[in-house]
Amino acid sequence: MLTPGDIIHYKKFSFENGNIRNKFFIILHKKPCLALITTSNSLRYPMVDYLGCHAPKLTFFLPAKHHTVFSKPTYLVMTKIWEFDAQKVKELMKKSVITKRTPLSPRLLIDIKNCLKNFHEDIPTEYWNNIFTDKTPSKSALNDLANKFNHR
């Protein structure tokens, strides 16, 4: 199952215009499965050359090799959230059309989500609420709580 911060590689992803490309996505929310798409096309993002949020350029930038999955400079397209059907993702993972890669660090995921806050007007309200008001406790919070009870 995919969780926020996971990176997936989607072989032969089909865009609305019919173009087909191998693409990476950053998972932002589990259910519904919401993600940001990445690109290594630097022509779309001139003058973006340091790690982090570039709100005026509509991107979050990851320099080459900053993360083990991305060997090239990588740009997250911040103005569109992609939704995937969980059942279809599960089926495509079984067929290795979608593969899960090394996840982002929690700090990097937080930075990306903070950057995304600059694009509230571009994101459907339902997606925004799922991404930013999820009340599901984190694994670390649950572990901390379990440890408190185990020490009694």
Side-chain angles (χ1 to χ4, degrees):
M1 183 55 80
L2 298 175
T3 59
D6 283 345
I7 298 172
I8 60 170
H9 183 246
Y10 195 131
K11 294 177 188 169
K12 298 181 180 177
F13 176 77
S14 180
F15 288 91
E16 293 99 354
N17 65 6
N19 286 342
I20 296 175
R21 301 268 189 278
N22 292 336
K23 297 304 297 182
F24 285 101
F25 290 86
I26 307 290
I27 303 301
L28 297 172
H29 193 267
K30 184 176 180 175
K31 229 175 188 180
C33 184
L34 303 176
L36 291 172
I37 196 167
T38 69
T39 183
S40 58
N41 184 350
S42 63
L43 297 177
R44 293 182 184 169
Y45 304 102
M47 306 299 288
V48 173
D49 58 0
Y50 62 88
L51 172 68
C53 187
H54 297 264
K57 299 287 185 175
L58 312 176
T59 191
F60 188 99
F61 178 65
L62 297 167
K65 299 181 181 173
H66 179 78
H67 188 279
T68 58
V69 172
F70 304 115
S71 59
K72 297 178 183 178
T74 300
Y75 307 84
L76 279 65
V77 180
M78 302 301 284
T79 54
K80 181 170 182 183
I81 304 292
W82 297 81
E83 181 176 1
F84 295 105
D85 177 82
Q87 187 59 36
K88 183 177 179 184
V89 168
K90 192 174 183 179
E91 291 168 11
L92 293 174
M93 288 179 82
K94 284 182 183 176
K95 296 176 183 178
S96 297
V97 173
I98 292 178
T99 53
K100 195 167 151 178
R101 301 297 180 91
T102 306
L104 297 174
S105 70
R107 177 76 250 161
L108 191 53
L109 178 61
I110 289 167
D111 290 346
I112 290 168
K113 287 175 78 171
N114 283 337
C115 183
L116 193 60
K117 291 177 181 177
N118 291 292
F119 306 98
H120 189 249
E121 293 176 5
D122 299 304
I123 299 168
T125 302
E126 177 184 353
Y127 292 171
W128 181 269
N129 291 340
N130 282 316
I131 293 166
F132 291 106
T133 60
D134 187 12
K135 302 297 181 203
T136 306
S138 68
K139 286 183 182 178
S140 62
L142 291 173
N143 286 337
D144 289 346
L145 186 60
N147 287 336
K148 286 179 184 178
F149 283 101
N150 290 336
H151 289 289
R152 290 184 178 179

